[in-house]
């Protein structure tokens, strides 16, 4: 939960006057998301999300993110789409920050995802992969192997403050992943952060996916592995094979997964668990005292990592191989 | 900025089903307010504010707050009004907390209040006082003299951590206020917390006032004094007599202020400054590390207090006496 930037009313009105959406009638900071400042804006014409990009998002990446949202919306995917200024620009400046106005997507994210949510997620992820396949811009995944190594080195000396022996376990894990990480799986545009708070539902349907600010060019199957971690564990970190089976079966109805992708899943899921473990560990060790954002527990992902590391193969996720 | 309670989607839908407002299509936590958890809700029929009352608000006071909002709305004052469940209840339970659904008020609060805002505020405060005059429920102001004494004793030993000599200065101030506090000014329903973030504007008009959760039965002139502190100082704590003059002149066009109220203003403003100084000091000394809410600077109000203490009379606010 975070709004980092206060937008003075006059500056807001000047910014919104560049769009053809009528005048602002209300603007509330939203207590969700940790990377950027988000506001729910009501104007005479409707509801919008106003995003101010804070320093964690690189300005050079914004054309990729904005372009991807536009590409996906053009393909008919249910997702927010940037509104253009009268001048044609989709990216502006507000309070000294890059800022964009995005269409409002109805729906709520599931606080307690059920098996049915995971089935619908499978379809939506596959549709996202297909819709993004001909998106021509590329962005390397800076939170893959090289990024993990950097984060690990930045946390190594103080990792024991979170759990004794953690640095040694992470070092071994990272070496194994650097040695065995796949080289030849199919690559495309992936979301890379498709947690429940980025997927909206309305009654019994999935109404759309949001937050493309970690999207990048990487293995499709890595996105599947991220979702296994984010959606298929219970709060006590027990893996729910019903959820995983439903998720992957529905994914495969829309995009077939070659055998190599299925075989790679446990390793990709270990990598994905390490990625969230390391970013959480970094935030845990480096969040300023009294910060707005309460850091998430890194050890949740250590337990997930160990689960994947202990599997004999992808069949143990409950999949039909 | 704070949302203290996560509302699971199922519980939210069950709660909203008790109202005649259609189904929920979105629900976002709002990063404003520090006492309660607030959500901006869109349903098939419109926009609403959902408030979950957290522990800082006493459950026994809720009927007063809800009753006051209904009374004011019936009188035609622009303010949010509670929506009733089909059963007739305006107060429900959600996630184990008292909860109310309130109509959505358009407008934005001014981040940099100008003289024009202060003029409009004067009218709105006077209209609020007149509209509340025949509200029959009473609530003592638990943040007046006795409450200040309690807060001061709770902070006394550690006040020097914030500023050397602060405890001694506050002790002297509190003794003076206890000795000289007026006894016979006109009493009625006051807002008691009418800061800029509780007053909404749309273009050139004041669209309404919100947040009645400090409202109580106390001197009308004390509400005027709160606004002098909250609206009429510049960020560098210079007092702006243009703002004060416009605010009070417009107030007096609608509700006349007897001479005794005008004479009492400097003392009431000292008391009001002490009230915000003490609650901020308490929060500063007692906020948990890593708390969501960044405490506000208590010393801002020490400087305001000293300003009022140094005046020879209310004429120095720039008023016509």
């Amino acid at each position: 939960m975070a709004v980092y930037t206060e937008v003075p009313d006059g500056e807001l009105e000047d910014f919104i006057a560049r769009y053809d959406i009528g005048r602002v009638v209300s603007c509330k900071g939203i207590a969700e998301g940790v990377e950027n400042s988000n506001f729910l804006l009501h104007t005479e014409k409707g509801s919008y999300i106003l995003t101010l990009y804070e320093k964690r998002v690189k300005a050079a990446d914004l054309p990729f993110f904005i372009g991807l949202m536009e590409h996906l919306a053009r393909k008919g995917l249910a997702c927010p789409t940037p509104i253009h200024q009268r001048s044609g620009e989709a990216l502006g400046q507000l309070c000294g920050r890059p800022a964009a106005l995005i269409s409002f997507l109805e729906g709520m994210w599931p606080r307690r995802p059920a098996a049915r949510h995971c089935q619908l997620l499978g379809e939506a992820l596959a549709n996202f992969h297909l819709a993004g396949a001909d998106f021509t811009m590329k962005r390397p995944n800076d939170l893959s192997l090289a990024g993990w190594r950097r984060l690990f080195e930045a946390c190594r000396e103080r990792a024991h403050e979170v759990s004794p022996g953690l640095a040694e376990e992470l070092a071994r894990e990272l070496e194994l992943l650097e040695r065995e990480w796949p080289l030849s799986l199919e690559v495309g545009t992936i979301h890379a952060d498709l947690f429940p708070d980025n997927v909206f539902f309305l009654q019994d349907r999935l109404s759309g996916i949001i937050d493309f600010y970690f999207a990048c060019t990487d293995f499709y199957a890595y996105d599947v592995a991220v979702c296994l971690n984010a959606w298929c564990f219970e709060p006590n970190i027990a893996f729910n094979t019903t959820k995983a089976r439903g998720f992957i079966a529905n994914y495969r109805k829309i995009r077939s997964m070659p055998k190599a992708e299925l075989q790679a899943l446990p390793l990709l899921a270990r990598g994905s668990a390490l990625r969230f473990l390391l970013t959480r560990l970094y935030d845990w060790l480096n969040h300023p005292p009294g910060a707005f954002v309460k850091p998430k527990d890194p050890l949740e992902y250590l337990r997930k990592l160990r689960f994947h590391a202990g599997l004999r193969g992808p069949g143990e996720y409950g999949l039909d191989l």
Side-chain angles (χ1 to χ4, degrees), chain A:
Chain A
M1 66 167 57
V3 169
Y4 304 92
T5 303
E6 281 260 317
V7 182
D9 16 328
E11 285 185 47
L12 177 66
E13 282 163 19
D14 292 349
F15 181 80
I16 295 305
R18 290 180 214 141
Y19 296 83
D20 191 24
I21 59 168
R23 288 201 282 199
V24 183
V25 296
S26 95
C27 178
K28 310 271 189 207
I30 302 177
E32 289 184 6
V34 295
E35 305 298 324
N36 302 312
S37 296
N38 291 300
F39 300 85
L40 201 173
L41 202 76
H42 290 180
T43 77
E44 292 163 333
K45 291 211 182 163
S47 299
Y48 304 87
I49 298 290
L50 169 67
T51 298
L52 269 64
Y53 298 100
E54 305 289 345
K55 61 178 186 222
R56 266 181 101 147
V57 172
K58 283 187 222 149
D61 285 335
L62 288 174
F64 177 89
F65 301 137
I66 298 281
L68 176 59
M69 280 190 267
E70 298 202 313
H71 178 90
L72 295 171
R74 254 195 318 266
K75 289 269 181 169
L77 206 81
C79 71
T81 179
I83 310 295
H84 288 249
Q85 300 182 356
R86 288 199 193 83
S87 66
E89 289 294 311
L91 201 56
Q93 281 270 335
L94 183 56
C95 297
R97 286 155 180 75
L101 193 72
I102 314 277
S103 63
F104 183 80
L105 184 73
E106 290 189 345
M108 279 156 292
W109 63 270
R111 269 63 178 176
R112 298 170 189 156
R116 180 65 189 146
H117 294 115
C118 297
Q119 292 173 338
L120 294 168
L121 175 72
E123 290 170 23
L125 182 65
N127 281 325
F128 166 76
H129 286 164
L130 296 186
D134 59 347
F135 180 56
T136 53
M137 297 176 80
K138 306 280 175 234
R139 179 178 174 265
N141 185 357
D142 49 24
L143 288 173
S144 187
L145 285 174
W148 306 340
R149 171 60 69 186
R150 267 195 305 278
L151 281 168
F152 172 66
E153 298 300 344
C155 298
R156 185 172 208 154
E157 299 221 332
R158 294 182 53 211
H160 65 91
E161 295 174 23
V162 172
S163 175
L166 182 58
E168 293 71 20
E169 183 169 356
L170 294 182
R172 286 193 302 274
E173 189 64 28
L174 190 50
E175 277 163 34
L176 177 142
L177 290 168
E178 284 169 341
R179 206 167 52 238
E180 301 195 4
W181 197 247
L183 295 170
S184 59
L185 301 176
E186 193 181 351
V187 162
T189 308
I190 69 167
H191 186 285
D193 192 40
L194 204 52
F195 277 60
D197 57 343
N198 289 331
V199 184
F200 287 1
F201 294 83
L202 260 183
Q203 277 84 51
D204 294 325
R205 66 186 179 85
L206 188 153
S207 60
I209 65 182
I210 65 162
D211 198 348
F212 297 89
Y213 302 112
F214 288 97
C216 56
T217 316
D218 203 344
F219 303 137
Y220 289 126
Y222 180 72
D223 239 1
V224 174
V226 169
C227 291
L228 286 179
N229 279 317
W231 291 77
C232 300
F233 285 91
E234 298 305 306
N236 65 356
I237 319 298
F239 190 79
N240 184 321
T241 53
T242 305
K243 290 180 177 176
R245 187 164 45 229
F247 163 59
I248 293 189
N250 273 23
Y251 180 92
R252 292 166 76 186
K253 281 182 195 160
I254 289 166
R255 179 182 169 268
S256 66
M257 290 183 77
K259 196 171 171 203
E261 289 191 6
L262 292 169
Q263 286 300 329
L265 275 181
L267 194 79
L268 296 173
R270 282 170 83 160
S272 153
L274 184 69
R275 173 255 186 267
F276 292 105
L277 197 170
L278 286 169
T279 48
R280 289 184 177 194
L281 179 63
Y282 184 87
D283 289 345
W284 191 276
L285 294 174
N286 295 286
H287 78 284
F292 289 148
V293 181
K294 195 171 186 165
K296 292 176 181 161
D297 180 13
L299 297 181
E300 175 191 334
Y301 271 85
L302 182 62
R303 294 172 64 193
K304 293 180 178 179
L305 191 160
R306 287 175 179 164
F307 168 80
H308 300 297
L311 298 180
R312 277 158 304 177
E316 291 193 51
Y317 292 131
L319 318 184
D320 298 320
L321 293 173

